[in-house]
Amino acid sequence: DIYVLRDELGVYAMASRCTHVGCLLPCPVDDLMLCPCHGSRFNANGDLLSGVAAADLDHFAVSFECIDDEVKIYVDASQALLDRQTRTPV
């Protein structure tokens, strides 16, 4: 339950479950994710904007491996990043 997203700074991985009761959030549209269960609002970086959610969404380390013409994306969800602005350049 992780989204891998890209912005102008690079690629990042973020939890896709609301921090209130764990409802699945839709992908960001126009820099906004609205929890379908209780209405909490997050921006595309996972920052809590409003609602009953407990916290921002966690971010996780992302790495890539290129094998011939195939690219594999790896997400290490074992530990949340302290800096939620970290991006992997592409």
Side-chain angles (χ1 to χ4, degrees):
D1 293 333
I2 294 173
Y3 286 132
V4 177
L5 303 166
R6 182 178 178 182
D7 63 16
E8 64 278 353
L9 300 175
V11 175
Y12 61 105
M14 165 177 83
S16 63
R17 297 266 175 192
C18 181
T19 55
H20 178 231
V21 293
C23 295
L24 183 63
L25 296 165
C27 284
V29 174
D30 296 328
D31 194 41
L32 184 66
M33 293 181 288
L34 179 63
C35 180
C37 297
H38 300 103
S40 291
R41 296 164 44 106
F42 300 86
N43 67 15
N45 190 58
D47 302 323
L48 176 61
L49 302 175
S50 64
V52 295
D56 298 330
L57 302 176
D58 285 337
H59 281 218
F60 306 102
V62 177
S63 60
F64 299 92
E65 179 182 27
C66 295
I67 301 172
D68 298 323
D69 62 345
E70 187 175 294
V71 177
K72 293 188 178 193
I73 301 171
Y74 299 100
V75 176
D76 180 0
S78 65
Q79 185 174 357
L81 297 174
L82 295 177
D83 177 8
R84 296 175 56 260
Q85 299 304 315
T86 298
R87 303 291 193 259
T88 301
V90 289

